[in-house]
Amino acid sequence: MLELLRHCTLCPRECGVDRLDGKTGFCGVSGENVRVARAALHHWEEPCLSGSRGSGAVFFAGCPLRCVFCQNRAISRGAAGKEIPISRLAEIFLELQEQKAHNLNLVTPTHYVPQIVLALRLAKEQGLSIPVVFNCGGYEKPETLRLLEGLVDVWLPDFKYLSGESSARYSAAPDYPERALAALDEMVRQAGTPVFDGDGMMVRGVIVRHLLLPGLAKESKKVLRRLRRLYGDRVYVSIMNQYTPPETGLERFPEIARPVTEEEYDGVVRFAVSIGVENAFIQEGGTVDESFIPPFNCEGV
């Protein structure tokens, strides 16, 4: 499995670098170990994932995207966090289960799929039984996702854009729309019909997150219409208004250097209702003032 890192093509960038020889590609990480910035109970996911006890979130360093508005910028460039072996990663999974996490939440995991597969197999042999959540940016390859079949229960991808122009400008990924759609097809195939337990926690299924960006309400509506047409009630949609412009980095992107207005967000939610979206999560006003970003201080690592 680790030989996949020898000529890495795990994500759509297909850099082809030898990560086992210390080379880094677009994601910014190398080696057979993983770099983790935090592993702890997390209470800011969708209600059917966070529940009352929290989701067992493992935040991985590095990312195959370059979103100019990234809220996890401190770790997404690959340098932050602590490097650990696969055996320790498996231990962390079990420790989060012991802390009564509702699920194991793998945050930005794409570039570590081979290591995660091995760690999940090891942890499951030792009693890991809570649902596994794959929490990603949506920029994935179906071939890589198939490596996780039978190991992931809940897929939690972003679906950021339906415009190649927007995805190129804001995430350096002009092929994002077609890549995200192909990946979502694979996720829905693996997950099947959403399943919830007696406490209302999702134990199997797909939740697609869409973050509304300022001035892009029309694009958000196109995303929601496409998701509704393709998948109907087979996926849940999380419509998010928590966009928070970073203090620096948007000098060349003044059009998104402001929060989303209440009118913009309410208009997108009304549109979703008008096209028949029922399986959805929305956010109440004031989320911009609330921090969804935990301290990346290597807690639990």
Side-chain angles (χ1 to χ4, degrees), residues 19 24 43 53 68 80 84 103 113 139 158 166 172 192-193 206 210 253 261 270 275 296:
R19 288 170 55 186
T24 59
H43 297 274
R53 302 191 302 271
V68 298
I84 59 173
N103 44 63
V113 164
Y139 192 56
D158 292 338
S166 295
T193 303
V206 178
H210 177 70
F253 310 95
T261 67
R270 287 196 300 270
I275 62 174
F296 297 123

Side-chain angles (χ1 to χ4, degrees):
M1 182 66 70
L2 292 180
E3 281 301 307
L4 292 171
L5 304 176
R6 186 72 68 188
H7 180 79
C8 187
T9 58
L10 291 173
C11 85
R13 304 285 179 187
E14 297 187 333
C15 301
V17 301
D18 187 348
R19 288 170 55 186
L20 295 181
D21 190 38
K23 305 297 191 302
T24 59
F26 197 92
C27 65
V29 299
S30 64
E32 66 177 54
N33 292 332
V34 299
R35 188 172 287 275
V36 178
R38 179 182 173 87
L41 297 178
H42 191 64
H43 297 274
W44 296 280
E45 307 292 25
E46 285 70 14
C48 66
L49 297 178
S50 291
S52 59
R53 302 191 302 271
S55 178
V58 181
F59 288 87
F60 294 95
C63 184
L65 289 171
R66 282 289 184 277
C67 301
V68 298
F69 50 83
C70 179
Q71 66 177 8
N72 290 349
R73 187 184 300 262
I75 63 172
S76 64
R77 297 301 184 257
K82 179 180 178 181
E83 190 174 296
I84 59 173
I86 292 168
S87 58
R88 175 58 189 148
L89 184 60
E91 290 175 355
I92 289 172
F93 294 167
L94 292 167
E95 288 167 5
L96 289 168
Q97 178 172 267
E98 290 171 3
Q99 294 173 38
K100 307 300 183 183
H102 287 289
N103 44 63
L104 178 62
N105 184 357
L106 309 173
V107 185
T108 320
T110 306
H111 43 293
Y112 288 123
V113 164
Q115 296 98 317
I116 287 170
V117 167
L118 295 175
L120 283 174
R121 289 175 180 171
L122 182 58
K124 285 177 178 290
E125 289 173 0
Q126 299 176 37
L128 182 70
S129 60
I130 56 176
V132 175
V133 180
F134 193 86
N135 182 344
C136 66
Y139 192 56
E140 318 293 329
K141 288 176 60 177
E143 300 91 332
T144 300
L145 301 181
R146 282 193 280 273
L147 297 173
L148 294 154
E149 188 154 11
L151 295 172
V152 168
D153 305 285
V154 178
W155 300 90
L156 185 62
D158 292 338
F159 200 109
K160 300 176 185 293
Y161 321 97
L162 203 55
S163 157
E165 181 180 352
S166 295
S167 57
R169 178 164 175 77
Y170 302 126
S171 294
D175 59 342
Y176 181 94
E178 55 264 37
R179 294 292 193 171
L181 285 169
L184 191 51
D185 280 346
E186 176 61 22
M187 294 174 186
V188 173
R189 183 194 69 79
Q190 289 191 34
T193 303
V195 177
F196 296 82
D197 66 15
D199 296 322
M201 304 300 296
M202 180 177 277
V203 295
R204 191 168 187 84
V206 178
I207 302 174
V208 182
R209 286 175 166 170
H210 177 70
L211 176 66
L212 175 59
L213 297 179
L216 293 184
K218 288 184 178 179
E219 181 153 352
S220 291
K221 293 175 182 178
K222 290 179 181 179
V223 168
L224 294 172
R225 186 186 295 278
R226 180 68 63 89
L227 293 174
R228 179 64 181 169
R229 180 173 65 82
L230 291 177
Y231 304 108
D233 292 331
R234 289 182 294 166
V235 304
Y236 276 67
V237 178
S238 183
I239 308 172
M240 307 168 76
N241 72 345
Q242 69 188 58
Y243 174 79
T244 305
E247 294 181 0
T248 61
L250 293 183
E251 292 79 12
R252 295 189 297 111
F253 310 95
E255 71 276 13
I256 60 169
R258 64 169 177 84
V260 169
T261 67
E262 185 175 340
E263 290 75 17
E264 285 175 314
Y265 184 70
D266 288 348
V268 171
V269 171
R270 287 196 300 270
F271 175 81
V273 172
S274 74
I275 62 174
V277 175
E278 296 181 352
N279 294 344
F281 299 96
I282 62 172
Q283 293 181 314
E284 301 296 334
T287 55
V288 172
D289 299 321
E290 182 178 350
S291 177
F292 291 87
I293 309 172
F296 297 123
N297 55 6
C298 294
E299 178 184 349
V301 183

